[in-house]
Amino acid sequence: LFDEDDFESTTPGAVALFGAGSETFDFVAEKSGDRLDVFLTNVLPDLSRSQVQRIVAEGGAQVNGVPAKASLKLFAGDAVRFVVPPTK
């Protein structure tokens, strides 16, 4: 679906938010109706739903360029950016 070269691994905003070593993931929702946290847990199976919810609450998710809450319902075609902070 996506070529690895299509995305930057970090962005200036990610570094400002979570520090160096943050990873940025960009996705496009293929269907409508999923909550943001459920969608992210499905596409990033190494993270638990509670981890995703915590990162989202700290400002680590945007949908269509706007900060989003974990409970946001996605629509097909929504652009999702998720910034995972470095592990401590």
Side-chain angles (χ1 to χ4, degrees), residues 14-84:
V15 173
L17 182 62
F18 292 119
S22 298
E23 289 188 79
T24 300
F25 298 92
D26 292 301
F27 304 101
V28 175
E30 293 183 0
K31 64 177 185 154
S32 298
D34 283 342
R35 285 173 49 116
L36 176 60
D37 57 346
V38 172
F39 171 82
L40 289 169
T41 302
N42 288 334
V43 295
L44 298 169
D46 290 342
L47 295 175
S48 70
R49 189 167 169 195
S50 63
Q51 288 173 309
V52 167
Q53 289 171 336
R54 179 184 52 78
I55 295 167
V56 171
E58 293 172 352
Q62 293 183 348
V63 175
N64 301 322
V66 178
K69 293 184 178 183
S71 61
L72 178 74
K73 297 277 185 168
L74 296 174
F75 292 95
D78 279 348
V80 177
R81 173 163 282 185
F82 188 61
V83 181
V84 178

